[in-house]
Amino acid sequence: MVLPQLVALAFLAVAGYLCVTGGRELTTVFHILRNDPVPVRELHGYTGPVEIVGTAVEGEDGTVTAPFTGSPCLAYTYEVEELRSSGKSSSWHTLEEGMDGVDFVVDDGTDRVRVDPTGADIRLEDHTVTVPPGTELPDRLARYVGQTDAVDPQDRTVDLLVTELSVGNRQRFTERRLDVGESVYVYGQTSRGPAVEWGSDLVDAVVGDGDGTPVFVVSDASERGTAWRFARAGLWRVGLGVGLAVLGLLFVGSVVL
């Protein structure tokens, strides 16, 4: 009886984790959709949760360099994955991931406001390069791999005289960037910022993370597009979690009967 109970508990534990994490994604959807973006000019002296949309432009800190393409941008996330096989199944295994960014400015066509992306849940469009095993990496990716202990090149081959056999794994390099001049949606907390010059279209506020807002999101999609990104991630987690919970309960029921 011990082994069946452990299997059932494992199903239920994974189901609980998926439902909780998926629920958080769906809760973010609620926060995003329940309010509308406000004009930047209304942020003068305002503090609290706020949604803004506009164009992302450089602030005083300039830009950062994206790791895979070398593109100058305002914020980025990246992920390196490797396709690994176990028996008849294969799955992508994350080797390395990270993010970086600088303070930037959102211009809504009338006024501008600073955004501090520290601590943001950054949801940006994927730029992915998939490299088959035995393939030499492009120069930029080869330099990245050479400087990263967690990622090994998968370009090894074995000479079989009549042909060469690739012995590495397929790798996937995904970069997500907020480029200068790109449309941006921000949901965060507004606080008082540095004083600005008289007549400046830069408001005296900073949008960022804070205890007064349930989520802090930076996205290159519209409000509804951003909500859908969270909803899609949440729905599959909750759906899979419910399915595993049902399987776990059925398994327990079959053992008891």
Side-chain angles (χ1 to χ4, degrees), residues 245-257:
V246 171
L247 287 176
L249 293 174
L250 290 175
F251 190 76
V252 171
S254 65
V255 172
V256 172
L257 296 176

Side-chain angles (χ1 to χ4, degrees), residues 86-220:
S86 177
K88 296 182 179 180
S89 63
S90 299
S91 60
W92 288 101
H93 176 73
T94 299
L95 303 177
E96 180 83 355
E97 59 185 345
M99 60 182 295
D100 196 11
V102 291
D103 289 9
F104 61 91
V105 172
V106 174
D107 185 343
D108 71 352
T110 303
D111 292 279
R112 301 179 301 140
V113 65
R114 299 178 182 91
V115 175
D116 176 3
T118 304
D121 188 337
I122 298 178
R123 301 293 175 111
L124 305 171
E125 181 183 359
D126 291 354
H127 300 273
T128 301
V129 175
T130 301
V131 182
T135 303
E136 186 177 351
L137 293 171
D139 290 344
R140 182 86 192 181
L141 292 181
R143 287 196 298 272
Y144 168 82
V145 171
Q147 298 168 358
T148 307
D149 294 336
V151 184
D152 294 323
Q154 300 295 307
D155 55 359
R156 300 183 303 278
T157 59
V158 175
D159 189 353
L160 300 180
L161 298 181
V162 294
T163 187
E164 286 189 344
L165 176 66
S166 300
V167 295
N169 293 318
R170 183 179 295 269
Q171 291 180 329
R172 186 163 65 190
F173 298 80
T174 302
E175 183 178 271
R176 306 172 184 92
R177 304 187 310 271
L178 178 62
D179 294 321
V180 177
E182 193 169 17
S183 296
V184 64
Y185 164 88
V186 179
Y187 181 97
Q189 180 170 321
T190 305
S191 57
R192 292 297 297 270
V196 297
E197 296 181 0
W198 176 259
S200 173
D201 62 353
L202 187 67
V203 302
D204 58 346
V206 176
V207 180
D209 199 4
D211 296 334
T213 183
V215 293
F216 176 30
V217 178
V218 174
S219 169
D220 58 0

Side-chain angles (χ1 to χ4, degrees), residues 20-41:
V20 169
T21 56
R24 289 173 182 167
E25 300 281 299
L26 297 179
T27 299
T28 299
V29 175
F30 167 75
H31 289 303
I32 290 174
L33 293 180
R34 72 173 180 173
N35 296 308
D36 294 322
V38 302
V40 169
R41 63 175 176 271

Side-chain angles (χ1 to χ4, degrees), residues 5-28:
Q5 290 172 346
L6 289 177
V7 172
L9 286 174
F11 270 99
L12 294 174
V14 174
Y17 171 78
L18 290 172
C19 288
V20 169
T21 56
R24 289 173 182 167
E25 300 281 299
L26 297 179
T27 299
T28 299

Side-chain angles (χ1 to χ4, degrees), residues 6-84:
L6 289 177
V7 172
L9 286 174
F11 270 99
L12 294 174
V14 174
Y17 171 78
L18 290 172
C19 288
V20 169
T21 56
R24 289 173 182 167
E25 300 281 299
L26 297 179
T27 299
T28 299
V29 175
F30 167 75
H31 289 303
I32 290 174
L33 293 180
R34 72 173 180 173
N35 296 308
D36 294 322
V38 302
V40 169
R41 63 175 176 271
E42 295 184 10
L43 301 184
H44 276 292
Y46 177 82
T47 58
V50 70
E51 288 180 273
I52 57 172
V53 295
T55 301
V57 298
E58 279 188 57
E60 296 178 353
D61 295 334
T63 60
V64 289
T65 302
F68 300 154
T69 61
S71 303
C73 58
L74 303 171
Y76 67 79
T77 67
Y78 70 91
E79 183 177 18
V80 184
E81 300 166 284
E82 192 169 279
L83 186 62
R84 296 181 177 176

